[in-house]
Amino acid sequence: MHTKEQKTASFGRLLDIMDDLREKCPWNAEQTMESIRPMTEEEVYELSDAIIRGDKAATAKEIGDILYHMVFYARIGQENGSFDIADCIDKVCDKMVFRHPHVFGNAEGKELTAKEIADTWELIKAKEKDGNKTVLSGIPDSMPAVLRAMSMQEKARGCGFDWEKKEDVWDKVREEFDEVLEACGEEDRTHMEEEFGDLMFATINAARLYGIDPEAALGKACSKFRRRFTYLEENTLKKGIRLSDMTLAQMDAIWDEGKAKGL
């Protein structure tokens, strides 16, 4: 591993490279925060994939890519006189020091456990002078819905708004399921959309309470479906048969065959 001095030098090198790119590369010079934002989102998903795969080399690479984007944004902010990289770093340092009084302040009482720290996290954040007006106001609307639901539920939990026993959540899931069936019977599209949303929100909440990441769980389900559906396609193509010419029972038989093979 590198020393602190080596890490500081590497970061300084990245800043120098960014300066050169903005001053000497036509493509980099014309980029704006708006133009690189979609690329940043892509890089975040690539980092997520690398972490899920357990690929350490790819994880290091993707962290570097995201760090490059952060420096890019800060350089643009510097050019228009809004902020520079030091402002960004100082802000996050000040925030972390404020939110961890048990580390940097004169924390009172016994040593806190990780759970106790998590349970008071949102209450500490609410005391920030420049904090969000409400607990949930800091969650971006552009965040994917599953992640947004998870974030909202976690923030509410941090303020003490949560089920006393995780098993109690299943009554809510069953209630929402029954309401979906009722809405479908009415064939009211607006009502069905609302109730499906409530059911998914409740299911995500249940996953959270049981320590399951719903985004990761759904991602694995999607990968499993892809493997099995690909097996179905490949085995019909080998026989010169189109899926559209098969009955559901015929497709199910091949699907079950792939399932039995552990796909």
Side-chain angles (χ1 to χ4, degrees), residues 22-184:
R22 284 294 282 183
E23 295 165 8
K24 302 174 183 178
C25 173
W27 185 88
N28 279 274
E30 70 179 19
Q31 299 309 306
T32 66
M33 290 191 185
E34 291 75 17
S35 69
I36 63 176
R37 181 190 59 77
M39 292 180 274
T40 304
E41 292 179 344
E42 181 179 340
E43 294 296 349
V44 171
Y45 282 116
E46 289 178 0
L47 171 61
S48 180
D49 284 348
I51 292 172
I52 290 172
R53 295 196 309 271
D55 188 332
K56 295 181 180 179
T59 298
K61 172 185 174 299
E62 300 304 340
I63 290 173
D65 289 345
I66 292 175
L67 183 58
Y68 169 77
H69 278 237
M70 299 306 101
V71 169
F72 209 150
Y73 288 119
R75 170 62 197 233
I76 295 173
Q78 175 182 314
E79 291 169 0
N80 61 38
S82 301
F83 56 84
D84 62 16
I85 191 65
D87 293 315
C88 301
I89 294 173
D90 286 341
K91 284 182 182 297
V92 72
C93 286
D94 291 343
K95 181 167 65 176
M96 290 301 104
V97 168
F98 180 83
R99 293 184 183 179
H100 295 81
H102 54 288
V103 176
F104 302 105
N106 297 318
E108 301 178 359
K110 65 182 181 65
E111 184 175 342
L112 298 175
T113 65
K115 183 179 184 306
E116 289 170 331
I117 293 169
D119 287 345
T120 58
W121 182 255
E122 295 302 330
L123 298 177
I124 292 175
K125 284 173 63 177
K127 297 178 182 178
E128 293 178 4
K129 293 181 180 180
D130 62 344
N132 298 307
K133 294 181 179 179
T134 67
V135 171
L136 302 182
S137 62
I139 301 174
D141 291 334
S142 60
M143 181 184 289
V146 172
L147 298 180
R148 186 153 39 121
M150 186 76 166
S151 182
M152 287 181 171
Q153 293 162 2
E154 278 294 303
K155 287 181 179 296
R157 179 197 60 78
C159 295
F161 187 73
D162 203 2
W163 301 97
E164 291 186 2
K165 296 187 297 182
K166 63 183 179 182
E167 295 82 3
D168 293 341
V169 73
W170 294 115
D171 288 335
K172 185 62 175 176
V173 173
R174 294 185 188 97
E175 174 189 326
E176 298 298 351
F177 181 77
D178 289 340
E179 291 179 1
V180 166
L181 292 179
E182 181 181 340
C184 289

